[in-house]
Amino acid sequence: MIPSWLGTRAVFESERVDQAQLREMQNEWAYFRNVTGMQEMVLAKTLPDITEHYEKNLTHPNLHSFGRQLRESLAFVTDSWLKLADRSELLSDSPVIQRSIAVRNPYTDVLNLLQVEALKRYRKGPASEEPDVRTALLLTIIGIAAGMRNTG
């Protein structure tokens, strides 16, 4: 889901972007509100602790600083978005969606943990030697996408 929010930091940090104008757009423009609403939902679905678990278990330690930078950017974008929307938490104006994500997270969290383990095992050797590992990996992909209600 990184592509849906990564460039947003540049908007919030830009001196050329008038924050008051962004707030006005958020309040007055239905299209802009719809786009930012979709981004808010993606931000609410993004769990830094889960991404850090993937990073620590599946990437070379030399890349961990990059993951840390991404999580810092995510926190900055989330905080900036909350300030723009004048809210204290994501999806506070959409309690049904907020609740839906909260109910799904425990299930998708477990699938993410299983996926990390399946990926570790899959990377150790040819999938043909361990067909159950390949099947488990595919099932976690399907389960996470279904649980998150997107393919991000």
Side-chain angles (χ1 to χ4, degrees), residues 20-147:
Q21 184 178 21
L22 282 178
R23 188 168 282 113
E24 179 183 339
M25 291 168 63
Q26 176 68 21
N27 293 331
E28 303 295 328
W29 297 10
Y31 176 76
F32 188 77
R33 200 168 36 254
N34 187 43
V35 170
T36 59
M38 285 188 269
Q39 184 175 64
E40 180 183 17
M41 186 169 29
V42 168
L43 292 170
K45 290 179 179 183
T46 305
L47 302 173
D49 56 330
I50 295 292
T51 61
E52 186 174 11
H53 183 72
Y54 276 87
E55 171 193 310
K56 287 188 176 183
N57 285 279
L58 298 170
T59 64
H60 191 278
N62 291 348
L63 298 173
H64 292 185
S65 63
F66 180 64
R68 197 169 29 260
Q69 289 173 355
L70 287 174
R71 285 188 298 282
E72 288 169 5
S73 286
L74 174 67
F76 179 87
V77 168
T78 300
D79 291 343
S80 299
W81 197 96
L82 288 170
K83 287 175 190 169
L84 174 67
D86 195 28
R87 295 195 190 132
S88 60
E89 65 178 352
L90 294 170
L91 298 173
S92 60
D93 69 332
S94 303
V96 172
I97 296 172
Q98 191 180 47
R99 174 86 174 122
S100 176
I101 292 170
V103 167
R104 287 193 306 248
N105 278 349
Y107 300 100
T108 56
D109 290 354
V110 169
L111 288 172
N112 279 290
L113 297 176
L114 290 170
Q115 186 174 78
V116 167
E117 185 59 33
L119 278 166
K120 283 199 301 196
R121 291 181 186 193
Y122 186 80
R123 289 177 176 180
K124 284 184 180 176
S128 59
E129 292 178 19
E130 293 189 65
D132 291 341
V133 171
R134 186 174 185 277
T135 300
L137 181 56
L138 292 173
L139 287 172
T140 61
I141 292 168
I142 293 166
I144 292 167

Side-chain angles (χ1 to χ4, degrees), residues 7-17 19 22 73 76 80:
T8 307
R9 183 174 189 152
V11 172
F12 286 119
E13 289 181 327
S14 175
E15 293 177 13
R16 296 183 300 175
V17 175
Q19 298 299 316
L22 282 178
S73 286
F76 179 87
S80 299

